Amino acid sequence: MIIKINMQSEVPIYLQLRNEIVKGIGRGEFEPGESLPTVRQMATDLGINTMTVSKAYQLLKTEGFLETDRRKGTTICYPTSSAPQDNRFDEKLADELELLSAEAKFHGMTLTDFLELCQRSFNEMEVTAK
């Protein structure tokens, strides 16, 4: 997977890294159990500080996307489909969708166009790159 970081963006680098990894998981570019590069290696590859990578990895671990094992390193883990729905995730998603909806409406996007864009984005997550 190619991780794109925009050094000129107002979005903090650790969040850009987090978002790129989440998108890669959603697209199937990472498989459960697959190892990510070490913090040092990822930092070197991207030309960023190791603390920035560490912060992104820690956030992803907290959110349940990654796990760390001393033997295997940092690996991808998917939530089990049998897990009960997490209300915190629902609330977070609703907040983010509300903000995106407001921005779309501000910029003159119709509901139909917004929903079509959401559908295309969601469908991209079913594409497997491997």
Side-chain angles (χ1 to χ4, degrees), residues 64-126:
F65 291 103
L66 302 180
E67 62 186 3
T68 300
D69 180 307
R70 290 181 186 265
R71 294 165 290 156
K72 298 179 191 175
T74 301
T75 57
I76 303 297
C77 65
Y78 289 103
T80 60
S81 58
S82 61
Q85 189 68 7
D86 185 351
N87 288 339
R88 291 174 297 174
F89 173 74
D90 288 351
E91 291 170 11
K92 177 181 180 261
L93 186 59
D95 286 344
E96 291 177 11
L97 281 171
E98 182 179 22
L99 178 60
L100 288 172
S101 298
E103 290 177 6
K105 195 166 193 172
F106 176 81
H107 289 285
M109 185 176 269
T110 66
L111 175 61
T112 302
D113 291 341
F114 181 75
L115 292 175
E116 285 175 6
L117 183 60
C118 289
Q119 183 70 48
R120 277 197 311 270
S121 293
F122 194 83
N123 288 342
E124 279 183 21
M125 296 303 119
E126 297 174 3

Side-chain angles (χ1 to χ4, degrees), residues 3 17 21 37-48 53 57:
I3 294 178
L17 178 56
I21 291 171
T38 65
V39 168
R40 278 194 192 123
Q41 187 60 54
M42 180 71 81
T44 299
D45 292 348
L46 297 175
I48 60 177
V53 176
Y57 277 19

Side-chain angles (χ1 to χ4, degrees), residues 1 24 27-35 76 78 127-130:
M1 168 179 186
R27 289 186 188 114
E29 295 170 359
F30 294 113
E31 294 180 16
E34 184 175 343
S35 293
I76 303 297
Y78 289 103
V127 174
T128 54
K130 288 196 170 201

